[in-house]
Amino acid sequence: MDNQPSVTQQLFGWVRKNKYSLAGATFVASMVGSFVMVGRNPHLTSKQKIVQARVYAQGLTLAVIVSLAALDMSDRRKPAPRKEAVKLADA
């Protein structure tokens, strides 16, 4: 039971494995959420609302991509695990 990774380690492992899907899903979800948020403003035209929502979504997506790049860089700085030589038994 001691060898099982913690929930945080499992989460980071999932993020490392699915980082491109996560970035795309973040953009789609933030586009929908920001459009709902901007849609409440009665003073903007529909074109202005679309542009404003896109700007908010791009900002959040950029923050996620920068975070994923930092995670990737930290992974690359870690030394690769050493593989032990396999000893062959004489038959």
Side-chain angles (χ1 to χ4, degrees), residues 46-79:
S46 59
K47 291 180 182 181
Q48 289 174 326
K49 290 177 183 180
I50 291 171
V51 170
Q52 196 71 20
R54 182 185 59 87
V55 169
Y56 291 146
Q58 281 181 328
L60 180 61
T61 304
L62 184 61
V64 168
I65 289 173
V66 168
S67 301
L68 291 172
L71 184 64
D72 190 44
M73 288 173 57
S74 71
D75 286 345
R76 291 178 189 226
R77 287 190 180 143
K78 291 179 184 174

